[in-house]
Amino acid sequence: MEFFTVLDQIVILFLLLVVGYWARASGALDQQGIQGLTSFLVRFALPAMIIGSLQVPFSDQLLAQGKEVLLLSLIFYLIAFIVAWPLPRILGVTGPGSGTYQFLLAFPNVAFMGYPVITAIFGKGALFYASLYMLPFNLLAFTVGILMLKRTGGGLSDLDPKILLNPGVTAVVVGLIFFLTSFTLPGPIGGAVTLLGDLTTPLSMVVIGGVLAEMALKSVFSNWRVYVVSAMRLLLVPLLTWAILRSFITDPLMLGVPVILAAMPSAANAVLLAEEYKSDAELASQGVFISTLFCIITIPMIAELVA
């Protein structure tokens, strides 16, 4: 495993976060600017990234492998949701913040960090499998995840059917149709979609940095619950995934990809969606920051199990 390659990717993300922090602290970005960037990411850049990741030539072999990967990804998210469900009671929190903790634990940073780390460990050939893991991620993050973030104690009664008509879910459906029908976006349109999707990672880290700049620095590191959730996100969930999948998966790649993706820090989407849906964006930023900070230690540890 190329430790320093993984380290480089994490440092790059942190530098982008610092840029966002500096931009907000210096006044180059104000609160309205951060909200505008967030809406742009959720409504345009993220959907473009989803559609672009599915612009892969269709084949029966890929379809068969895809079905297996999707099944494994559903097993992973089942594990993550089972662990996340009692989390608010364990942490002793109630109200909207409880759902933010659940989101931070249940959803890993598959796209923004998962792709480069998977490439560093397994090579570019593994990116197709990582892309397939994005399908249930986006579908669940933009449905169950939003429900978590909007949570006020009412459970499923909080679910607004309009949530299902958001850009993320629409992009998943469109991307799947394109993949299954072997439809390739025309050159200029495909290029534009790719470039638009490529904005997601840098802009999302800038937004997180901007949100952090609005908080007292002491509060970023003083919330003990964030450390508990980060430890569960970075160690407990991937170790459970590895322990369960290794009993019936023999292919090192098919085992390694879900375990490594499960070891990613909390998804940056937590901040974007929390900001967009008026949830606790500050808490989400704390979780993303702390888990990303410590993943430099934990990802190499988890990779030793599968690489």
Side-chain angles (χ1 to χ4, degrees):
M1 209 249 335
E2 295 292 338
F3 172 82
F4 288 104
T5 303
V6 176
L7 175 62
D8 284 348
Q9 297 300 326
I10 297 171
V11 171
I12 289 170
L13 293 176
F14 262 98
L15 289 175
L16 292 172
L17 187 148
V18 170
V19 169
Y21 187 98
W22 188 10
R24 180 68 184 96
S26 66
L29 271 180
D30 57 14
Q31 188 174 20
Q32 288 184 336
I34 292 176
Q35 291 174 347
L37 283 177
T38 299
S39 293
F40 175 79
L41 280 162
V42 172
R43 299 176 186 181
F44 296 99
L46 266 172
M49 185 185 70
I50 295 168
I51 293 174
S53 70
L54 289 168
Q55 288 286 282
V56 180
F58 176 83
S59 71
D60 291 335
Q61 181 180 1
L62 281 180
L63 181 61
Q65 292 175 331
K67 290 179 180 178
E68 184 177 355
V69 170
L70 287 175
L71 176 60
L72 293 176
S73 68
L74 291 174
I75 293 174
F76 158 68
Y77 283 109
L78 178 61
I79 296 170
F81 287 148
I82 289 174
V83 174
W85 183 259
L87 186 62
R89 186 179 304 174
I90 295 172
L91 297 177
V93 294
T94 58
S98 61
T100 304
Y101 284 115
Q102 288 178 318
F103 192 106
L104 290 169
L105 178 56
F107 293 100
N109 199 340
V110 175
F112 306 151
M113 285 194 65
Y115 283 4
V117 172
I118 286 293
T119 302
I121 296 174
F122 298 108
K124 290 185 178 180
L127 279 182
F128 173 73
Y129 302 104
S131 297
L132 290 180
Y133 271 87
M134 281 296 294
L135 295 181
F137 171 88
N138 286 300
L139 188 60
L140 293 169
F142 281 91
T143 52
V144 178
I146 292 174
L147 177 59
M148 288 177 177
L149 294 172
K150 290 170 65 68
R151 174 178 178 169
T152 57
L156 291 177
S157 63
D158 290 336
L159 180 59
D160 183 351
K162 293 180 181 179
I163 289 177
L164 300 174
L165 301 177
N166 62 67
V169 173
T170 303
V172 170
V173 174
V174 171
L176 270 178
I177 292 173
F178 286 173
F179 170 67
L180 294 173
T181 59
S182 296
F183 177 78
T184 302
L185 292 170
I189 297 177
V193 168
T194 299
L195 287 174
L196 185 58
D198 288 344
L199 293 174
T200 304
T201 297
L203 284 184
S204 66
M205 300 310 294
V206 168
V207 167
I208 293 170
V211 173
L212 286 171
E214 297 176 345
M215 303 162 52
L217 190 60
K218 181 179 178 181
S219 68
V220 176
F221 295 97
S222 62
N223 187 347
W224 64 268
R225 293 182 177 90
V226 170
Y227 292 93
V228 174
V229 174
S230 296
M232 297 174 72
R233 164 77 265 140
L234 297 173
L235 293 173
L236 178 61
V237 173
L239 288 174
L240 279 176
T241 303
W242 173 75
I244 292 172
L245 294 185
R246 69 189 292 259
S247 62
F248 59 91
I249 299 294
T250 57
D251 187 329
L253 184 61
M254 297 298 282
L255 175 63
V257 170
V259 172
I260 294 299
L261 292 179
M264 293 299 108
S266 298
N269 303 58
V271 182
L272 306 181
L273 294 177
E275 188 76 29
E276 178 75 3
Y277 290 95
K278 312 304 178 186
S279 186
D280 196 337
E282 291 188 1
L283 174 59
S285 295
Q286 291 176 13
V288 172
F289 178 81
I290 294 298
S291 61
T292 304
L293 179 65
F294 284 102
C295 77
I296 187 175
I297 300 171
T298 58
I299 289 177
M301 291 169 56
I302 298 299
E304 287 297 319
L305 294 175
V306 296

